Amino acid sequence: ENPTAAATLSLSGGELFAEQIDKSSGSTFDFTGGTLHADQVNFDLVIAGGALAPGSSIGTTAVAGNTTLHSASTLQIELEGSASDQLIVQGNLDLGNDTALEINELATPSLSSYLIAQYSGLLSGAFHSVSGGYAIDTTTAGEIWLIVDTAGLPGDYNDDGVVNAADYTMWRDHIGQALILPNDTTPG
């Protein structure tokens, strides 16, 4: 029952749900597999495998320190309507060179972009892979935005999700006009 005693906690499989994780000096947290769902991590977090899934369901993980995702690590982000998971790092965020961003839609996204991470230090590395239908924007210092790919079906000029004779009619009716039809980047 000594809160300052040194100990080792290993997460190598399964799932760990925690509101808060603290670590005293001399203690270690070996994260080499499994999935971590934590609201608050009060130390530098190093993920050497496995997945970080902020909060429980739609939630936030706040890290009081640097966060490093090494090879074969995954950041799992859930989306539901206008809400998303978020990682907040009070320090540097290192994505490494082989980190995956996995998106799980709990309900259809209703926004075109979501703020999925904030950091107060430097960003290094990049996601090696991102779930299909999404892109990443890191142009704003201290923020990582998830962009929902809303590209439509090429040739679906009436935007009904199907390319058919109605699209040909729509195109033909607008030949020579300075009008950009849905799912067409060339006027007329």
Side-chain angles (χ1 to χ4, degrees):
E1 294 203 9
N2 181 353
T4 61
T8 297
L9 174 63
S10 294
L11 178 59
S12 59
E15 292 185 276
L16 174 60
F17 291 86
E19 288 182 15
Q20 180 172 314
I21 302 175
D22 294 302
K23 181 177 85 166
S24 63
S25 65
S27 295
T28 58
F29 179 63
D30 294 329
F31 188 179
T32 59
T35 304
L36 175 62
H37 304 268
D39 296 333
Q40 179 73 41
V41 177
N42 292 319
F43 52 87
D44 289 344
L45 180 60
V46 177
I47 304 167
L52 175 60
S56 296
S57 192
I58 298 293
T60 300
T61 293
V63 179
N66 299 322
T67 299
T68 303
L69 289 99
H70 284 295
S71 180
S73 298
T74 302
L75 177 59
Q76 294 177 342
I77 297 292
E78 293 178 324
L79 303 178
E80 185 172 25
S82 63
S84 73
D85 285 340
Q86 192 172 102
L87 173 62
I88 300 173
V89 178
Q90 297 170 352
N92 298 327
L93 176 56
D94 182 357
L95 299 175
N97 296 319
D98 194 26
T99 300
L101 177 60
E102 184 179 291
I103 307 301
N104 181 14
E105 294 180 4
L106 302 179
T108 303
S110 61
L111 301 177
S112 60
S113 61
Y114 295 84
L115 180 61
I116 61 167
Q118 295 180 27
Y119 52 94
S120 62
L122 299 174
L123 176 66
S124 59
F127 291 110
H128 173 66
S129 65
V130 178
S131 293
Y134 297 95
I136 294 299
D137 179 357
T138 59
T139 57
T140 303
E143 298 178 347
I144 298 176
W145 286 84
L146 178 69
I147 309 301
V148 179
D149 183 3
T150 58
L153 182 61
D156 182 16
Y157 302 132
N158 64 357
D159 212 19
D160 66 353
V162 178
V163 176
N164 55 23
D167 299 301
Y168 172 75
T169 301
M170 179 79 112
W171 172 78
R172 187 190 65 220
D173 290 347
H174 294 93
I175 288 178
Q177 297 178 11
L179 172 71
I180 298 177
L181 297 172
N183 306 309
D184 184 16
T185 59
T186 60

